[in-house]
């Protein structure tokens, strides 16, 4: 038995950490929340209540959002504050404000609860969004969120984007008119093969890279054939303007805006070369 995992877990989270490793070793999926998780979850619920489930900052301010409690238990506060993936919001906003490169359609592969798609539609960055989400619970929630924001007629919602989905997609929507946001937990390495990238060579791509699943170098090499690539990552967060955070202890305030990521993440902003 590898005792280093027990030692590491105990040093970080005490007996709860030790017990969670033990549960995993004997095949039990249930895990106890450590104090850190409980703090983040508590503040996330508090921010959700104070904001009344409306995004209060960032580029999507004013968008109403019900969150997937399975996915957004720990990053919910950052979404309601408008800080979640702020760099992605900023990059798409800049693109759409540039009349020479802006796109007609927003295509979100891995749309989740609709945070980006509905926020962009609500603020008139796009008039139409084509969304792909394979998780039934998430897609049902996305439809609910579209209804409460009066955006149901502005979206097309599909299930999983299969490897050959562009063959059918290009029959109804010109790919050169599309900005793609791709967040599919490592499947970007499979979906963005040579054939599909050739079809997408006039589109704009924003890709979240999950390099803990696969080495991204081969994908980046293929992308450079057609695109000028800019890399962005999570940057600074200014919490001073959020009055609802004023009474939270400084040690806990920064936990509120976490995005529940396993490591530092990168997004590739891919603009066509021609």
């Amino acid at each position: 038995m590898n005792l280093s995992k027990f030692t590491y877990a105990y040093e970080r989270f005490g007996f709860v950490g030790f017990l969670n490793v033990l549960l995993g070793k004997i095949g039990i999926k249930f895990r106890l929340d450590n104090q850190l998780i409980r703090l983040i979850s508590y503040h996330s619920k508090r921010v959700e209540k104070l904001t009344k489930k409306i995004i209060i900052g960032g580029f999507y301010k004013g968008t109403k959002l019900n969150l997937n409690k399975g996915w957004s238990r720990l990053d919910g506060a950052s979404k309601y504050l408008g800080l979640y993936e702020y760099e992605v919001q900023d990059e798409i906003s800049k693109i759409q404000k540039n009349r020479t490169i802006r796109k007609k359609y927003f295509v979100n592969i891995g749309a989740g609860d609709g945070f980006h798609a509905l926020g962009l539609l609500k603020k008139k960055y796009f008039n139409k969004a084509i969304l792909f989400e394979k998780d039934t619970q998430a897609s049902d929630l996305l439809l609910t969120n579209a209804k409460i924001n009066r955006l149901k007629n502005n979206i097309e919602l599909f299930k999983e984007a299969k490897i050959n989905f562009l063959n059918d997609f290009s029959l109804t929507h010109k790919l050169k008119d599309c900005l793609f946001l791709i967040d599919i937990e490592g499947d970007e390495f499979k979906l963005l093969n040579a054939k599909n990238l050739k079809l997408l060579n006039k589109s704009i791509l924003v890709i979240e890279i999950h390099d803990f699943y696969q080495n991204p170098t081969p994908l980046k090499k293929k992308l450079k054939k057609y695109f000028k690539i800019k890399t962005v990552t999570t940057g600074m967060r200014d919490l001073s303007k959020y009055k609802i955070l004023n009474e939270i202890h400084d040690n806990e305030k920064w936990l509120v805006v976490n995005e529940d990521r396993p490591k530092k993440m990168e997004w590739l902003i891919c603009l066509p070369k021609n």
Side-chain angles (χ1 to χ4, degrees):
M1 183 178 291
N2 186 357
L3 296 179
S4 63
K5 289 186 177 180
F6 287 94
T7 302
Y8 178 69
Y10 183 79
E11 288 176 348
R12 291 183 75 200
F13 303 119
F15 181 70
V16 171
F18 177 90
L19 186 57
N20 281 337
V21 172
L22 181 61
L23 290 172
K25 290 292 185 183
I26 61 178
I28 298 175
K29 294 183 178 180
F30 173 79
R31 296 292 183 272
L32 296 169
D33 286 345
N34 57 56
Q35 188 175 16
L36 180 64
I37 299 299
R38 291 175 63 186
L39 269 174
I40 296 172
S41 182
Y42 166 76
H43 286 304
S44 185
K45 291 176 183 176
R46 183 170 178 267
V47 169
E48 179 180 294
K49 183 178 180 180
L50 290 171
T51 59
K52 299 179 181 179
K53 298 185 178 182
I54 299 173
I55 298 173
I56 63 171
F59 293 88
Y60 307 157
K61 186 176 181 180
T63 306
K64 301 175 183 178
L65 202 65
N66 291 292
L67 298 179
N68 187 316
K69 298 303 181 182
W71 290 354
S72 296
R73 179 185 172 202
L74 302 180
D75 60 19
S78 66
K79 288 185 174 179
Y80 286 124
L81 295 173
L83 295 173
Y84 182 77
E85 296 186 353
Y86 186 84
E87 293 72 23
V88 175
Q89 298 180 47
D90 184 38
E91 290 296 330
I92 295 176
S93 172
K94 289 176 182 175
I95 290 167
Q96 289 304 101
K97 288 178 180 178
N98 186 330
R99 292 186 178 183
T100 62
I101 63 171
R102 63 180 299 167
K103 297 299 184 181
K104 184 176 180 180
Y105 302 112
F106 177 68
V107 185
N108 196 178
I109 305 177
D113 51 36
F115 175 77
H116 284 295
L118 300 179
L120 289 165
L121 290 171
K122 186 84 171 181
K123 305 306 286 188
K124 307 296 184 183
Y125 285 103
F126 298 88
N127 292 320
K128 181 74 173 292
I130 300 97
L131 313 175
F132 293 84
E133 177 52 61
K134 68 178 182 180
D135 184 272
T136 302
Q137 184 180 356
S139 60
D140 288 345
L141 186 59
L142 195 160
L143 284 173
T144 298
N145 286 331
K147 289 178 183 177
I148 64 176
N149 286 284
R150 299 180 179 180
L151 293 169
K152 188 179 179 182
N153 293 332
N154 299 86
I155 68 169
E156 290 182 46
L157 179 59
F158 301 93
K159 295 183 179 180
E160 183 178 4
K162 301 289 187 179
I163 195 71
N164 294 320
F165 85 105
L166 288 176
N167 293 336
D168 295 328
F169 185 89
S170 60
L171 296 176
T172 54
H173 301 288
K174 293 181 179 179
L175 294 174
K176 68 179 181 64
D177 294 331
C178 297
L179 185 154
F180 285 76
L181 173 60
I182 302 169
D183 179 5
I184 45 179
E185 306 304 315
D187 282 345
E188 63 269 19
F189 301 109
K190 177 176 65 177
L191 195 67
L192 297 174
N193 58 24
K195 179 182 177 181
N196 284 341
L197 286 178
K198 187 174 181 179
L199 292 171
L200 292 167
N201 72 91
K202 300 298 183 183
S203 306
I204 292 177
L205 311 182
V206 179
I207 310 163
E208 183 170 7
I209 295 295
H210 300 81
D211 59 359
F212 39 84
Y213 291 126
Q214 190 170 321
N215 183 350
T217 301
L219 174 58
K220 291 180 179 180
K221 186 176 180 180
K222 287 187 290 185
L223 286 165
K224 286 178 180 178
K225 182 178 180 181
Y226 302 109
F227 301 97
K228 296 174 289 185
I229 300 175
K230 174 182 177 181
T231 301
V232 299
T233 189
T234 305
M236 296 177 63
R237 299 286 185 262
D238 180 7
L239 305 186
S240 62
K241 58 185 177 181
Y242 294 97
K243 293 182 179 180
I244 64 173
L245 302 180
N246 285 351
E247 303 305 316
I248 299 178
H249 194 287
D250 270 356
N251 289 348
E252 299 175 20
K253 189 176 294 184
W254 293 101
L255 296 176
V256 176
V257 295
N258 95 94
E259 298 185 8
D260 193 29
R261 301 188 183 280
K263 57 167 289 185
K264 183 180 180 180
M265 303 291 288
E266 290 184 346
W267 290 265
L268 303 182
I269 315 300
C270 306
L271 302 180
K273 285 185 176 179
N274 300 312

